[in-house]
Amino acid sequence: MDKKLLTEEVIDQLVADIKKHNENERLQMIDWLMANQLTKDKKTIALIESWEDNQSSLKRRIYWYFQGRLRWTGQPQPNSEELLNKIESKIEKEKPEVQWAMNFTTGWIGVYEKKYRNRCIALGEKTGLYKGKMVSKGCTPEYLPEFIVIESNKRKL
């Protein structure tokens, strides 16, 4: 894939094609597209950053997953408080595929930015997202109170 040819129109067609797949495949493909193609060029990163309120839930997922991945890969951002305000007001009304990415972003903010840790844990307790969800051995639960404690302890943060 030539990232220089990835215009908004081409991405819209890719998203439309991806939507035709079952949920599991759809989410794997959209996450792969974001991580391996869209984040490799400043032009497509600018597009991602404009998708927070896009009508496409898959584009909104990309926006939020990108925000979380920045933090997960050790690139703290200055807009964490603003993002948390938006997540707190929107997460419970969002589609599940977007909720997951918002939860992911909240988790990594809570891990790396100690000043927001209690707020992120409280959000997880309030929403209850992924509470009690079974995970494979060696994997970290997605429930924010558990995720943040485990991941911040691993990093001694």
Side-chain angles (χ1 to χ4, degrees):
M1 186 177 290
D2 185 348
K3 64 182 176 270
K4 290 179 178 36
L5 300 177
L6 287 174
T7 63
E8 184 99 33
E9 294 75 26
V10 170
I11 294 167
D12 284 343
Q13 185 58 54
L14 288 169
V15 169
D17 290 346
I18 288 170
K19 283 180 79 171
K20 296 174 185 174
H21 290 264
N22 71 50
E23 180 184 15
N24 211 27
E25 289 175 345
R26 180 173 56 241
L27 298 180
Q28 286 179 350
M29 286 190 285
I30 204 71
D31 293 348
W32 179 89
L33 179 66
M34 188 278 300
N36 295 292
Q37 299 299 322
L38 300 180
T39 60
K40 306 299 182 191
D41 186 85
K42 289 180 182 178
K43 180 183 74 169
T44 49
I45 288 172
L47 290 174
I48 290 171
E49 291 173 341
S50 73
W51 294 341
E52 177 187 346
D53 296 313
N54 195 282
Q55 71 180 35
S56 166
S57 62
L58 292 178
K59 282 185 162 183
R60 291 193 310 276
R61 178 184 174 97
I62 290 171
Y63 170 84
W64 288 105
Y65 188 33
F66 175 69
Q67 296 299 322
R69 278 184 61 102
L70 286 171
R71 289 150 175 87
W72 175 37
T73 59
Q75 300 173 56
Q77 301 295 305
N79 63 338
S80 293
E81 184 164 2
E82 177 186 339
L83 290 181
L84 285 174
N85 289 338
K86 291 174 181 180
I87 291 169
E88 287 167 339
S89 70
K90 295 179 181 182
I91 194 168
E92 293 180 289
K93 298 175 228 128
E94 259 299 358
K95 293 192 176 212
E97 64 260 29
V98 182
Q99 284 180 332
W100 177 87
M102 293 171 120
N103 192 77
F104 179 81
T105 298
T106 304
W108 288 111
I109 290 172
V111 168
Y112 283 109
E113 298 183 62
K114 196 170 185 173
K115 67 181 177 180
Y116 299 120
R117 191 167 294 161
N118 289 337
R119 182 177 174 185
C120 293
I121 289 170
L123 179 61
E125 290 169 343
K126 178 180 181 257
T127 65
L129 286 173
Y130 312 109
K131 185 176 184 175
K133 181 180 175 189
M134 298 301 294
V135 296
S136 300
K137 185 176 180 173
C139 293
T140 306
E142 295 173 308
Y143 179 54
L144 288 173
E146 296 171 357
F147 178 87
I148 292 167
V149 168
I150 291 168
E151 293 295 331
S152 57
N153 285 342
K154 276 187 199 176
R155 291 161 178 75
K156 298 177 179 26
L157 297 172

